[in-house]
Amino acid sequence: MKKIIPFLFLLISTTLFSQDGIKFGKQSFAQTLEQAKKENKLIFLDAFASWCGPCKLLDKNVFPKKEVGDYFNANFLNLHIDMEKGEGIEIAKKYSIYSYPTLLFIDGDGKVVYKAAGYMSPQELISIAKEAVNPENTLENKIAKFEAGEKDPEFLKNLVNLTAFTEADYAGKVFEKYITAKANTPLAADDMQMLFMTLKNSESPAYKIFKEKKADLLKFMPEKSYEATDKSLKINTVIKKAYNEESKTYDENKFIEGTKDFLTKDEAVKYLSKIKAGKALKDKDIATYEKLTLETYKDYTNFNSNEL
């Protein structure tokens, strides 16, 4: 009996302590969005991966703290979602989440109003949360400030991160101003990450920077990878022009003509076939996906093991 009582005391103490921290909801992201809209609250999304060390440290050292729980439970609807499982996979795609932990503050319309990343102390986490709920820091206000001529590099950097999820072209426009504000300073690693967040095709506003800053980029990536990326961006431009929104089909002749300077006809046909297969899979048209994939990889000796 003497052994049982201390054990029960420890169990109760641990339970009570764990309740002091952030209470993460169990409902889906879509349901939480609905609730956020009804209650006029922001969602705090801890986007993590199971293998991420800093994510585990946040779980252990920061989220359970009483002061953190008091602020977050009162002001946000909190979600803790693995970006590599279940609905997290689509959420990661939607918000272009590539590094962990990524901490997002999202409104009821699904718009990111504030973003942070990496491990931080309880005080730092509360500080960014207060920034997120400050009306002056809403995305709309930041865009207005940018349009009025704000040139502070840190402000521009933050706006790029916020708009890259949903407005890549606008983010590219902001990124151009950011690069100008930095004058002749070489691209840093996080600058490179922002650049690739805003690059969609060779007509993206940031493509000019991609070409002009090639020497800087080659410090972070092999030239072979740079050239492959450049080709992909050009292909994406042609894909966009070859796609008919009304018929939901691709014009093969237009695609072949548009890529003739950097793809052979045979390469273009195979590339377009893979694009069509990808679209069929996305549309859950498995029969078409299977047919196109078997045709594309009929001579499998021409493809490397990674692609197969």
Side-chain angles (χ1 to χ4, degrees):
M1 187 66 179
K2 288 180 181 179
K3 292 182 180 180
I4 294 175
I5 292 173
F7 174 75
L8 289 175
F9 177 76
L10 178 63
L11 181 62
I12 292 168
S13 299
T14 304
T15 304
L16 288 173
F17 176 76
S18 67
Q19 291 175 344
D20 286 338
I22 296 179
K23 294 181 176 63
F24 289 104
K26 300 297 183 184
Q27 58 188 7
S28 70
F29 182 65
Q31 290 170 328
T32 309
L33 280 174
E34 290 179 14
Q35 186 180 347
K37 201 159 190 175
K38 287 177 184 176
E39 298 182 13
N40 194 27
K41 275 189 172 183
L42 293 179
I43 296 169
F44 167 61
L45 173 62
D46 170 38
F48 74 96
S50 59
W51 47 263
C52 164
C55 301
K56 293 175 182 178
L57 288 175
L58 279 176
D59 283 343
K60 180 182 178 182
N61 300 331
V62 181
F63 295 155
K65 296 293 185 184
K66 184 179 186 305
E67 63 268 32
V68 175
D70 287 345
Y71 191 81
F72 275 75
N73 296 334
N75 291 283
F76 306 105
L77 300 175
N78 305 299
L79 286 178
H80 180 68
I81 300 177
D82 188 333
M83 294 293 105
E84 296 181 343
K85 295 178 182 176
E87 65 174 348
I89 296 170
E90 288 304 314
I91 293 171
K93 288 179 184 177
K94 179 177 180 179
Y95 294 111
S96 302
I97 299 170
Y98 302 113
S99 60
Y100 306 102
T102 292
L103 309 174
L104 299 180
F105 295 86
I106 304 168
D107 68 18
D109 293 320
K111 294 179 182 177
V112 175
V113 300
Y114 204 86
K115 175 194 173 190
Y119 178 80
M120 58 193 69
S121 69
Q123 293 73 28
E124 288 171 329
L125 184 60
I126 292 171
S127 178
I128 67 162
K130 288 180 178 177
E131 286 285 308
V133 297
N134 184 343
E136 292 184 6
N137 289 326
T138 63
L139 181 56
E140 289 77 7
N141 284 339
K142 286 188 175 183
I143 288 174
K145 196 173 179 180
F146 170 73
E147 297 294 343
E150 178 60 63
K151 297 178 181 178
D152 176 67
E154 284 304 310
F155 170 85
L156 296 174
K157 183 177 178 179
N158 181 253
L159 186 55
V160 170
N161 283 319
L162 289 176
T163 53
F165 301 124
T166 53
E167 299 290 340
D169 285 344
Y170 191 85
K173 178 182 172 183
V174 179
F175 186 67
E176 281 186 290
K177 288 285 178 68
Y178 169 76
I179 293 298
T180 301
K182 288 189 67 176
N184 296 319
T185 307
L187 288 182
D190 55 347
D191 297 336
M192 178 177 161
Q193 183 178 359
M194 283 194 294
L195 173 60
F196 282 100
M197 284 167 60
T198 63
L199 271 174
K200 299 300 179 185
N201 54 57
S202 60
E203 293 182 345
S204 299
Y207 182 71
K208 181 181 176 183
I209 298 168
F210 174 77
K211 300 296 284 185
E212 290 176 348
K213 297 289 185 178
K214 179 178 178 179
D216 288 349
L217 291 170
L218 291 182
K219 296 175 184 176
F220 299 99
M221 63 193 301
E223 186 162 7
K224 187 176 180 181
S225 297
Y226 177 91
E227 297 301 337
T229 302
D230 192 22
K231 181 187 284 189
S232 294
L233 292 168
K234 291 175 181 176
I235 291 172
N236 288 346
T237 300
V238 181
I239 290 170
K240 187 177 178 181
K241 293 178 178 178
Y243 185 66
N244 187 309
E245 286 286 350
E246 292 183 5
S247 64
K248 307 294 182 186
T249 58
Y250 292 94
D251 186 324
E252 184 172 309
N253 291 330
K254 186 178 286 188
F255 183 79
I256 291 171
E257 179 64 24
T259 56
K260 66 181 181 181
D261 291 336
F262 46 89
L263 291 179
T264 66
K265 183 176 179 179
D266 186 52
E267 286 174 334
V269 170
K270 288 180 178 178
Y271 202 102
L272 186 58
S273 181
K274 285 191 276 187
I275 293 167
K276 289 177 179 178
K279 183 179 182 300
L281 182 61
K282 185 178 179 181
D283 295 339
K284 297 183 179 179
D285 181 358
I286 303 304
T288 301
Y289 169 73
E290 183 180 25
K291 179 177 179 293
L292 290 169
T293 301
L294 288 173
E295 287 177 0
T296 302
Y297 294 98
K298 185 176 182 179
D299 183 5
Y300 57 84
T301 59
N302 289 328
F303 298 93
N304 63 49
S305 57
N306 288 333
E307 183 167 354
L308 291 174

